[in-house]
Structures are given as structure tokens and as C-alpha cells.
Amino acid sequence: MRVIVCGAGQVGSTIARHLSSEDADVTVIDSSIEEARRVDESYDVRGIAGHASHPEVLERAGARDADMLVAVTRSDEVNMVACQVAHSLFGVKRRIARLRHHGYLEPMSSGLYGAGQLPIDVVISPEVEVARGIVRRLRAPGAFDMVTLVDDKVKLLGIHCLPPACPIVGVPLARLAETMPEVPLNVLAIIRGGRSFVPRGRDSIQMGDDVYVVTTPDQTDRVMAAFGHREKEARRVVIVGGGNVGLHLAKALEREAPLVSLKVIEHSEQRADQISRELGSGIVVLHGDALDKEVLEEANVRSAETIVAVTNDDETNIFASVLAKREGCGRAITLVNKTSYEPLLPTLGIDAVVSPNAVTISTILRHVRRGAISALHTLREGFGEVIEAEALPGSRLVSGPLQSVVMPEGMRIGAVVRNSDVAIPAGGFQVRPGDRIVAIVTYRALRKAEAMLTGGRG
């Protein structure tokens, strides 16, 4: 597969690196000579300097032979025009564009991307995806991450093992089912001391671990309780930042959770006035600095169950979250772009971190991947993904009970969906052709996992 990636920022570079590692022929275009040279020298991809929407640049990048174009530059308009040029002049079969401006994402704009209009097959909006992710986290209080899989039949939860009320500490994973037979769960990954690994049956959870588990949606509360979490869903929420993410989030909560009491703090007076007109009368919009104690008191953060900090500035989000927690707010969900900050945030009392880049990368890879594996959720940069895949006839996975199937190191099956039934499989379980599986696969094991799933036809 030949892919052109427009934009060599963090998202574009990561997409290019992932596809290159999976034997795709990747060319990256960036308007900066330095950025183009960086990706060319750092990864097994070709870097080209130039404007991604210019026909001669796309031709130099090999658009005539490309199967796909992924446009993730900083400009919505460049991304849109690049898709148009790729389609009209070069016949590129599939085109994906990242669009940020809310005007391009409103329902009235949906006709832009229809047949005979702008030829964009998939529109990715980081702001909308991040807002949806935060809404999911609010529905699973106590979880620092939450994703629904296989048409909402399986739930992936990221949970902090909370001292001292975590009853499964020290229990080998192979014995979890007999220890808690009434709670169906499977531990896919453990993060301990900054190191991530896929556990085996003899491994056990330790106090302070962050773990990723899969379960069924109806068992979420019982699984959270098994890790020491009994938090109730927030009814009073404060949003810091009325930008695109904050506005999408406020609208989503207004639409999907009308009983939530919601307040928004926005630093710009003009923007505060604008969003107050767009939101319903039941949402309070405050103009002020979220780092000002008086503004936090006016928002009554000490009575709020959750503060969600989603401004465009990482430092503002972090410090607003810390101040709100010190005032008495129960939980902090914080948007952070810089991955270097991530290890520090738990020590500051921040409960959940949202990375727009990670969300965008997971969403794009889901649409880019071919073959048996679909990328569903990137767990941590450079570690691995939770994937959804179909078990094919001839696959080693269907050759016998799971205990007899030799899986690549770094792969673990978490759940199997057969028709409408969900199984948390033990060693004697046998996967059948047509089953949908949910598994953790590290990037080192990705090729071997796909070969196993496809019987070598990947």
C-alpha cells in the first residue's frame, strides 16, 4: 500500500511511522524543509518539502500511484484542497482529512463531503473525538480511560488500583475467575512505575498499578468496585476553556446528560459571550481566568464532582486542575498535548489525562488499516493497541482451545463476541471462524499477530 501523509507534525509523523512499520510505502509532505528532513532521516519514510495542496508537490510525492492520502496539516483548507487535488488530478482512491473548524463539522456542512462535492471519504475532528472521549469518561467515574468496542458489546476500562480497597491485589491473573466468578473481566495491560507490559497468568496486580481491563457494559460498576472504586457519576461539572473542545463537550452534555449542572469558565470575554449564546440557558458561562481563586470560587468548584480543563494551553489545564482539586473538587480530567508531562500528572492529583494527538492517531489508524486487524485504541505511545479483529478460517487462532494456541509474545485475547454473546475466554475456550475478538497487541507483535489471525494471508 502506498500512502501520502500531508503534515509532519506529531500526528502525521506518528501515522507515517506506524504505517511504515507495517510495510506500507509512505511519503510525508510538509511545508517546512526542516520537518520534512526530520521525518526522512528519523523513520523509514520519504520526506518532501512543499505545500501539500499544490499539484506539482503531490506529483513529486507519487500521487499517481498512491492508494491513500491522509491530510493532517495545521490548515483545514489545505487538507480539503489536498484531497480535492488528489482525487481530481491523480485518482487517489481513498482520502482522509483532519478538520478542526466547527463550521466544517456542523450538520449543515455535511453535504460538502457528498458525491460530486469535496471528495473526502473520512473527516476526522480531534475536538469532536476528544469531547466524545470525555463524555465516556464522565460515565465511568473512577476510570482514567474508557472505550466501547464491538458495537458497544465490550468495554475497555483504564483503572488505577486504589489503595487500600482493592481486593484483587496479589491474586495471580490465572486465578481471577475463581476468586471473583461473578465479575467477568480480563486484564490486558499493566502500567507499573512508568513501564507498560502485557501480563501473563502468573502475574498479579500490585497496589498503585494502572491497568487496562475488558468487561461487558452491564458489569462496569462491579469491575470498578473490584479495583476499589465506588464513585458516583458526576452531577456538577465545571469546564475550563470554551474553545472548540469545550463547546463540543458542553453541547454533548447538554444533549445527552440534561440533569448535569454545568458551568464553563472562558478567559476571552468575546468568546464567553459567543458560547453563552450558543448554549442553553441552563448552562452558566463565566468570563475569567481559571487560575484566579476568586473565579474558581464563583464557579463553586469545591462543590463540583469533576473539573474538565480543555483550554489550548497545557500549563493552564494542569494548574487549573490542581487548584480546583485543592479547593475540594472531587475529580480532574485534563487535556494535555505534551507527552513529556504524562508521568508527572498522577503525582499532582490529576485523575485522567486526555491526549488529542493520541485520540486522532487511533481514529485515523482505524480507517487506514487493512486486513484482519482494525486499530481501535492506542494505549500508550510506542507500546501497543487494543485491536478488534475477525477470526478467519485457516487462522491458527481457530485451530484449537486457546491454551493450545501459541500466540506472539505481546498479544493477549481479552474478549470474544459470537453473534450477540460476549465471552471472557479461559484457556479451554475455542474461537470459531467469524468470531470478533478484542485483544491487546504490542507494536513489536503486530505483524506476527496479523499473520496468526489471517493464517499467513495478512
Side-chain angles (χ1 to χ4, degrees):
M1 180 169 63
R2 295 185 175 181
V3 183
I4 296 174
V5 177
C6 303
Q10 184 173 349
V11 170
S13 298
T14 305
I15 293 293
R17 177 165 54 82
H18 279 292
L19 295 178
S20 174
S21 69
E22 297 166 36
D23 293 332
D25 183 351
V26 183
T27 301
V28 179
I29 302 171
D30 198 274
S31 58
S32 165
I33 296 175
E34 291 76 15
E35 289 296 306
R37 183 183 296 119
R38 178 183 60 81
V39 296
D40 191 274
E41 295 174 350
S42 302
Y43 312 117
D44 188 16
V45 303
R46 180 184 173 209
I48 290 179
H51 292 280
S53 57
H54 290 183
E56 68 275 12
V57 176
L58 286 172
E59 185 164 34
R60 273 198 295 130
R64 294 193 185 278
D65 300 315
D67 300 294
M68 182 180 300
L69 180 134
V70 180
V72 288
T73 74
R74 294 177 179 84
S75 167
D76 288 356
E77 291 71 25
V78 169
N79 295 340
M80 296 161 81
V81 173
C83 289
Q84 179 72 69
V85 174
H87 169 74
S88 300
L89 296 187
F90 303 109
V92 177
K93 302 178 187 68
R94 188 162 173 79
R95 301 151 304 274
I96 298 174
R98 177 178 65 182
L99 303 180
R100 284 196 163 110
H101 192 275
H102 67 89
Y104 294 136
L105 307 170
E106 295 292 333
M108 64 173 288
S109 302
S110 59
L112 273 174
Y113 317 112
Q117 306 300 322
L118 275 171
I120 302 175
D121 298 299
V122 180
V123 172
I124 305 296
S125 168
E127 287 79 6
V128 172
E129 295 291 340
V130 166
R132 288 173 180 166
I134 293 172
V135 170
R136 291 195 298 267
R137 285 170 170 83
L138 289 171
R139 288 174 178 163
F144 64 81
D145 203 354
M146 196 278 272
V147 179
T148 55
L149 311 170
V150 198
D151 300 324
D152 297 337
K153 294 183 178 66
V154 178
K155 190 171 278 190
L156 171 71
L157 298 168
I159 313 173
H160 182 70
C161 191
L162 189 67
C166 186
I168 62 177
V169 166
V171 178
L173 299 187
R175 292 179 49 206
L176 275 184
E178 62 184 74
T179 305
M180 297 185 301
E182 74 286 356
V183 184
L185 66 90
N186 209 333
V187 178
L188 293 187
I190 297 177
I191 305 168
R192 179 178 299 156
R195 185 178 73 90
S196 307
F197 64 96
V198 176
R200 298 185 177 185
R202 64 176 178 270
D203 291 318
S204 61
I205 296 168
Q206 297 180 10
M207 200 65 71
D209 284 352
D210 287 335
V211 299
Y212 278 92
V213 305
V214 288
T215 186
T216 54
D218 60 312
Q219 295 294 324
T220 300
D221 290 342
R222 298 175 79 177
V223 170
M224 296 300 298
F227 284 87
H229 291 274
R230 300 183 182 275
E231 297 91 337
K232 294 183 179 180
E233 200 167 324
R235 285 289 178 261
R236 293 179 295 275
V237 177
V238 176
I239 298 174
V240 176
N244 289 336
V245 175
L247 181 59
H248 283 302
L249 175 59
K251 286 183 174 180
L253 290 174
E254 183 180 29
R255 181 176 61 252
E256 300 174 26
L259 298 180
V260 171
S261 173
L262 187 60
K263 295 178 181 177
V264 181
I265 302 174
E266 168 54 40
H267 191 270
S268 164
E269 184 175 3
Q270 181 179 359
R271 179 67 178 176
D273 183 60
Q274 176 187 339
I275 64 174
S276 67
R277 293 196 300 269
E278 292 193 40
L279 298 172
S281 58
I283 298 177
V284 177
V285 179
L286 303 174
H287 164 237
D289 185 353
L291 301 183
D292 187 332
K293 186 176 180 180
E294 292 182 0
V295 174
L296 292 177
E297 288 177 350
E298 186 179 358
N300 197 21
V301 294
R302 62 167 50 94
S303 298
E305 286 98 351
T306 305
I307 184 168
V308 184
V310 289
T311 75
N312 292 325
D313 183 75
D314 286 356
E315 289 75 15
T316 297
N317 294 337
I318 293 169
F319 285 112
S321 300
V322 171
L323 289 173
K325 291 287 294 274
R326 288 189 176 181
E327 287 293 312
C329 183
R331 186 178 182 219
I333 300 175
T334 310
L335 186 149
V336 178
N337 286 285
K338 298 174 184 174
T339 56
S340 58
Y341 286 168
E342 190 173 332
L344 305 173
L345 300 180
T347 64
L348 299 175
I350 291 173
D351 303 280
V353 179
V354 180
S355 168
N357 289 333
V359 170
T360 306
I361 290 162
S362 293
T363 305
I364 291 175
L365 285 175
R366 189 181 313 158
H367 293 286
V368 167
R369 284 268 170 74
R370 292 182 175 182
I373 291 180
S374 301
L376 287 174
H377 189 64
T378 302
L379 293 191
R380 287 169 72 90
E381 177 66 27
F383 173 57
E385 298 168 355
V386 173
I387 58 114
E388 179 183 324
E390 180 180 353
L392 301 177
S395 161
R396 293 206 316 273
L397 191 61
V398 302
S399 62
L402 285 178
Q403 61 194 9
S404 68
V405 177
V406 179
M407 293 191 193
E409 185 175 354
M411 180 179 181
R412 183 178 172 90
I413 305 293
V416 178
V417 179
R418 181 175 297 159
N419 299 321
S420 296
D421 298 324
V422 181
I424 304 297
F429 185 91
Q430 181 158 357
V431 178
R432 298 176 184 170
D435 288 351
R436 301 296 299 180
I437 68 161
V438 173
I440 173 72
V441 181
T442 63
Y443 290 122
R444 289 183 178 182
L446 198 56
R447 291 184 190 175
K448 291 181 180 179
E450 185 161 20
M452 186 194 74
L453 290 167
T454 60
R457 301 195 304 269

